[in-house]
Amino acid sequence: MTLAAPTHERGITTLTLDSPANRNALSARLVGELSAALAECGADDSVRAVVLTHTGNTFCAGADLTAPPDPAAFVALMRQIVALPKPVVARVTGHVRAGGLGLLGACDISAAGPAATFALTESRLGLAPAVISLPLLPRTDPRAAARYYLTGERFDAAEAARISLITLAADDVDDALAPVLDGLRRASPQGLRASKELVTASVLETFEQHAEDLIARSAALFASAEAREGMTAFLERRDPAWVW
């Protein structure tokens, strides 16, 4: 399994990414398991909200380069999170890279601790943050997005909160999320569903308008010679040929 067995407490179901062998990278298997678990949560009247978290020191390392998901399947997963009739809350205490930021962008609320770091590393591999732009660009500061899309620099939780990649940064993530989860438990199912529809409408519109083009762009980039060099260099732990 790449997803731990769900836990449920007072209306909150927790889904835990648990694939330590590849640092919770987005494999085809993980995408499929997470999608199935979310579908179950969406159909379960006992679930008021979903918490998405992780084991180990990495929330998600991005795409699994040895067994990547189909771009269309990953887009469908992100859209599923955005459109789920229950709020999805990300709890992050470790590193997030590349496609993992797409998961965060799709979540409604997200909190990260002091050990969390973030980076959009695609440009360093001959790729681009193509499909993850669907939830990220409508929600993230555009000047910051330009910087981190282009440079691949690493940044911390405080910066992630400043640029609206996440909701809040905290020394203790569980303490910070306690009032958030309490608020979700106090809200009615109808109230949550209708309120989420309001705040996700523009994001879903972006999916409808641009998903097909960005899926095609992502596939073309992955098939390119530069991307092959970038991914090979990454797996061989060396600089790609273009580095000065």
Side-chain angles (χ1 to χ4, degrees), residues 55-68:
T55 59
N57 65 2
T58 301
F59 174 78
C60 179
D64 184 342
L65 299 182
T66 63

Side-chain angles (χ1 to χ4, degrees), residues 4 26 34-35 43 56 62 77 84 99-100 111 117-119 131-132 134-135 139 176 186-187 198 218:
L26 291 161
L34 183 53
S35 178
L77 173 63
L84 200 75
T117 66
F118 306 81
V131 296
I132 66 173
L134 293 164
R139 289 174 160 166
R186 291 176 179 275
L198 292 173
S218 178

Side-chain angles (χ1 to χ4, degrees), residues 50-127:
V50 177
V51 170
L52 182 61
T53 189
H54 61 101
T55 59
N57 65 2
T58 301
F59 174 78
C60 179
D64 184 342
L65 299 182
T66 63
D70 181 271
F74 183 43
V75 166
L77 173 63
M78 292 187 292
R79 191 188 187 286
Q80 182 182 13
I81 294 171
V82 176
L84 200 75
K86 320 285 178 73
V88 181
V89 179
R91 175 189 176 277
V92 180
T93 60
H95 309 301
V96 192
R97 298 290 182 269
L101 276 72
L103 289 182
L104 288 187
C107 290
D108 302 288
I109 300 168
S110 51
T117 66
F118 306 81
L120 290 153
T121 54
E122 288 90 342
S123 66
R124 299 186 180 192
L125 298 175
L127 302 168

Side-chain angles (χ1 to χ4, degrees), residues 137-224:
L137 290 183
R139 289 174 160 166
T140 306
D141 175 81
R143 300 301 288 177
R147 173 179 177 176
Y148 294 121
Y149 267 48
L150 295 172
T151 68
E153 293 171 88
R154 186 172 63 184
F155 52 97
D156 63 13
E159 175 70 352
R162 186 192 72 80
I163 68 175
S164 297
L165 172 65
I166 63 172
T167 310
L168 56 96
D171 290 335
D172 189 309
V173 175
D174 293 318
D175 282 351
L177 284 178
V180 173
L181 299 182
D182 181 63
L184 297 177
R185 289 183 172 110
R186 291 176 179 275
S188 81
Q190 174 178 278
L192 285 177
R193 182 173 60 254
S195 297
K196 177 167 177 172
E197 287 174 355
L198 292 173
V199 296
T200 58
S202 62
V203 182
L204 288 173
E205 185 177 345
T206 299
F207 273 82
E208 299 306 320
Q209 291 180 354
H210 302 296
E212 186 175 340
D213 172 63
L214 290 175
I215 289 169
R217 268 197 243 187
S218 178
L221 286 167
F222 266 95
S224 68

